[in-house]
Amino acid sequence: DVFNNKYGTLISSTNILLKKGYDVLFDIDWQGTQQLSQNNNSILSIFILPPSKKEIEKRLRERERESSEEIVLERMSKFEDELSHWKEYDYVVTNDNFDSCILEIKNIINVERIKRANQKNILTKIRDLKD
């Protein structure tokens, strides 16, 4: 329950994708990230910052579903609390240019994939090289 909206994702659907080797991306707030972290300690978390407080308010006002003044004011009243959770994340990127932000996120994912700890078959590969 975030800003009077209910959100959720089926664990079974997520597990099917993970077992097939897919990355699963969630567009969630800090509360959702905490819930995922409690259930799985191998998640990669990326906190996306707006370029400024003024810009986030502008973006909220431009959204059709959140164009009511009441909703914008409620979201902005919680902005600093939302922002305070950035330290709980593995990475922080700023969305001041959408294409650059997406590229930065893709780069983070690629770096995480090639980390030794994330390579599931690395021991087998090393053993094979020794033979």
Side-chain angles (χ1 to χ4, degrees):
D1 186 15
V2 179
F3 294 108
N4 299 319
N5 293 304
K6 304 263 187 229
Y7 298 95
T9 303
L10 292 175
I11 293 172
S12 58
S13 300
T14 302
N15 286 337
I16 289 169
L17 292 169
L18 291 172
K19 285 179 184 174
K20 290 182 177 181
Y22 290 100
D23 293 323
V24 179
L25 302 178
F26 292 93
D27 178 9
I28 54 178
D29 72 340
W30 63 270
Q31 295 164 338
T33 302
Q34 285 181 348
Q35 287 177 353
L36 279 178
S37 296
Q38 289 170 358
N39 296 320
N40 185 342
N41 61 359
S42 65
I43 71 164
L44 167 65
S45 60
I46 304 170
F47 193 94
I48 302 175
L49 291 171
S52 68
K53 189 173 182 177
K54 189 175 189 174
E55 180 62 22
I56 194 68
E57 184 173 353
K58 177 181 171 247
R59 290 177 185 180
L60 287 170
R61 290 184 187 286
E62 290 173 353
R63 289 184 185 173
E64 278 186 47
R65 65 185 175 133
E66 296 189 17
S67 58
S68 84
E69 186 67 15
E70 181 182 322
I71 292 172
V72 171
L73 291 175
E74 179 185 3
R75 296 278 308 257
M76 291 307 298
S77 72
K78 296 178 181 177
F79 175 77
E80 288 186 28
D81 180 50
E82 299 281 321
L83 186 63
S84 72
H85 293 275
W86 70 269
K87 295 178 211 162
E88 300 165 19
Y89 288 71
D90 300 315
Y91 295 89
V92 178
V93 298
T94 302
N95 184 10
D96 51 359
N97 175 286
F98 184 74
D99 292 333
S100 297
C101 183
I102 294 298
L103 181 60
E104 193 169 352
I105 291 168
K106 286 180 178 181
N107 287 336
I108 290 168
I109 293 169
N110 286 329
V111 164
E112 287 294 320
R113 283 183 183 147
I114 62 173
K115 279 187 176 178
R116 182 182 60 199
N118 294 332
Q119 293 187 33
K120 294 177 183 174
N121 298 324
I122 194 70
L123 288 176
T124 304
K125 288 178 186 177
I126 298 298
R127 277 190 218 119
D128 289 348
L129 287 170
K130 290 181 179 181
D131 291 338

